[in-house]
Amino acid sequence: MTTADTIPFNRPHVSRNELEYLAEAVRRGSTSGDGPFTARATRLLTEITKSRGALLTTSCTHALEMSALLLDLRPGDEVIMPSFTFVSTANAYVLRGAVPVFVDCRPDTLNIDERLVEGAITDRTRAVVVVHYAGVACDMETIGKLCERYGLALIEDNAHGLGGSYHSRPLGSFGGLVAQSFHSTKNVQCGEGGALLMNDPRLAARAEIIREKGTDRSRFFRGQVDKYRWVDVGSSYLPSDILAAMLTAQFESFDRIQSLRHAVWARYHEELAGWAEANEVRLPIVPDGCEHPAHLYYLLLPDLPNRQAFIAHLAEHGVQATFHYQALHSAPAGARHGRAAPGGCPVTEEVADRLVRLPLFADLDEDDVTRVIDAVRSFTVS
Ligand SMILES: *Cc1c(COP(=O)(O)O)cnc(C)c1O
């Protein structure tokens, strides 16, 4: 049940310049891809992530699909990834005929459990995809070393991680390829959008071709070839400059967006601590060395009945809260196209039933944060 004054789970933030930049893009008439705003947004994104190269894409899903094409994955190749993630992480590789091998998550961060990755490697493994859940970094040191030792590609699905860091190094700077999302639920958004970051310079030239329908059109526009031709496989993964205009305004407001989100996150964390302890509810854990970007705030209730009752209780109090990922290894398509790593994914199955996300967005004002906190505290776990 939601009413007119229900606090929504998410409301996309609009900063100052979106409408002005959108009008500018439309007036200028450079509405297709790779226009002036695309260049501006790309530069700002590269500064935030310290990645070596970036291409805006139509979504994070498409950036992941590009990574599968760039790795030349063949049917039967295996890609190690967490079971606790969004469907796109797996779909992108399944579309190439690759087999996702789902690894369980750590009970503390809910990230892929680095201690289980080596046991999932076979002679068909080609890549490891990490997802920094809630923008809290995976153990990149351990996973990075494993990838090096076994010659595996390292990919970051960094949809949650923009602005986060691991031992002072930005998330999005670790993987040879990195997928970002600018979907309306993410910290920086243009409705639907994404980016492929490239930290492996050997992949950059081909990435540009794959994103431009398999043609060398980008080189043609830079005057590097005298005509453009079909040179490789590809698709249309480049977004309109109109969307890039919106993104440019968002990136210019990134610091403000982040400080507003952090203020909400910090109040939840502080003011729910006592209630959580009394009710055996687990709050987010952020290990030393991880700076998170306040992407989401979750609670782990003791079990499924309490989780469901809690969501209903919040709805009655005008607060829209939601659960999150369901395990991929046991989802119908996950079981058909992939498999769980040895030992299965018991932690994933458990947390998927217990997790609730609270409203968290830049424009959630102090009174509404108070309303959410009061609604949470008026629930007693049974
Ligand atoms: C949001 C999200 C995606 C998909 O992003 P789109 O831009 O909507 O394609 C992929 N992976 C994770 C972890 C996400 O949170």
Side-chain angles (χ1 to χ4, degrees):
M1 181 207 69
T2 54
T3 59
D5 67 344
T6 289
I7 299 169
F9 172 69
N10 178 51
R11 192 187 304 132
H13 174 73
V14 178
S15 59
R16 225 172 0 163
N17 291 329
E18 277 85 348
L19 292 176
E20 190 191 314
Y21 289 179
L22 285 166
E24 193 179 324
V26 173
R27 248 186 262 119
R28 191 192 279 136
S30 55
T31 54
S32 56
D34 273 336
F37 279 117
T38 302
R40 272 170 79 174
T42 305
R43 194 166 51 246
L44 292 167
L45 172 62
T46 315
E47 281 167 18
I48 294 168
T49 54
K50 303 235 170 25
S51 55
R52 297 177 67 173
L55 293 171
L56 295 191
T57 60
T58 31
S59 65
C60 179
T61 302
H62 281 165
L64 290 164
E65 288 179 20
M66 284 181 69
S67 78
L69 287 164
L70 280 162
L71 293 177
D72 274 328
L73 292 180
R74 306 260 173 252
D77 285 346
E78 294 177 2
V79 179
I80 291 170
M81 64 183 68
S83 175
F84 191 64
T85 181
F86 190 57
V87 293
S88 294
T89 319
N91 248 332
Y93 305 100
V94 168
L95 280 170
R96 310 308 308 157
V99 178
V101 176
F102 298 109
V103 169
D104 207 3
C105 62
R106 280 169 54 149
D108 57 352
T109 57
L110 315 186
N111 284 330
I112 189 167
D113 192 331
E114 67 281 358
R115 297 163 301 183
L116 303 176
V117 172
E118 193 165 15
I121 297 173
T122 72
D123 54 11
R124 308 216 63 172
T125 308
R126 296 283 317 280
V128 177
V129 186
V130 298
V131 179
H132 309 294
Y133 187 73
V136 175
C138 297
D139 182 341
M140 295 316 290
E141 195 177 329
T142 303
I143 296 169
K145 278 189 189 141
L146 272 176
C147 286
E148 245 167 64
R149 176 146 31 99
Y150 287 90
L152 307 176
L154 174 59
I155 297 169
E156 290 176 84
D157 176 341
N158 197 32
H160 299 190
L162 187 70
S165 66
Y166 175 77
H167 296 290
S168 306
R169 194 171 143 190
L171 302 185
S173 66
F174 291 90
L177 295 166
V178 183
Q180 298 289 156
S181 175
F182 308 120
H183 182 261
S184 64
T185 51
K186 303 304 191 311
N187 289 28
V188 162
Q189 61 92 24
C190 62
E192 303 279 354
L196 180 74
L197 310 181
M198 296 155 295
N199 296 307
D200 181 347
R202 290 169 301 181
L203 299 173
R206 193 163 170 239
E208 196 175 69
I209 288 166
I210 286 174
R211 174 170 164 269
E212 267 285 19
K213 300 92 179 165
T215 72
D216 52 1
R217 193 161 181 262
S218 304
R219 298 184 65 208
F220 170 72
F221 280 125
R222 286 196 299 268
Q224 293 164 331
V225 287
D226 58 5
K227 54 183 177 292
Y228 76 83
R229 296 183 308 168
W230 183 25
V231 294
D232 203 334
V233 293
S235 189
S236 186
Y237 293 127
L238 84 167
S240 160
D241 214 46
I242 299 175
L243 286 174
M246 172 120 183
L247 268 186
T248 302
Q250 293 262 308
F251 283 133
E252 287 176 354
S253 303
F254 188 59
D255 289 347
R256 173 155 173 77
I257 292 171
Q258 289 303 96
S259 75
L260 290 167
R261 296 185 73 105
H262 274 291
V264 177
W265 199 101
R267 276 197 65 195
Y268 283 156
H269 207 55
E270 221 177 280
E271 295 177 41
L272 293 177
W275 169 84
E277 205 186 326
N279 285 279
E280 292 179 32
V281 170
R282 212 269 268 154
L283 301 183
I285 295 169
V286 182
D288 286 346
C290 298
E291 295 281 344
H292 71 86
H295 174 57
L296 59 86
Y297 197 88
Y298 71 84
L299 306 169
L300 284 180
L301 276 287
D303 50 36
L304 181 63
N306 271 295
R307 195 268 301 269
Q308 297 308 84
F310 181 66
I311 291 175
H313 170 89
L314 292 182
E316 276 163 30
H317 288 73
V319 175
Q320 188 187 19
T322 65
F323 56 93
H324 210 187
Y325 303 132
Q326 300 303 293
L328 291 185
H329 69 283
S330 52
R336 200 177 321 129
H337 297 290
R339 65 165 192 274
C345 306
V347 180
T348 302
E349 284 166 16
E350 197 199 304
V351 298
D353 281 349
R354 293 172 48 203
L355 190 140
V356 188
R357 292 174 296 160
L358 298 180
L360 173 56
F361 48 90
D363 303 305
L364 190 61
D365 67 31
E366 284 189 24
D367 290 347
D368 282 348
V369 177
T370 304
R371 269 180 63 198
V372 176
I373 289 168
D374 289 347
V376 170
R377 283 175 172 166
S378 65
F379 180 81
T380 307
V381 166
S382 60

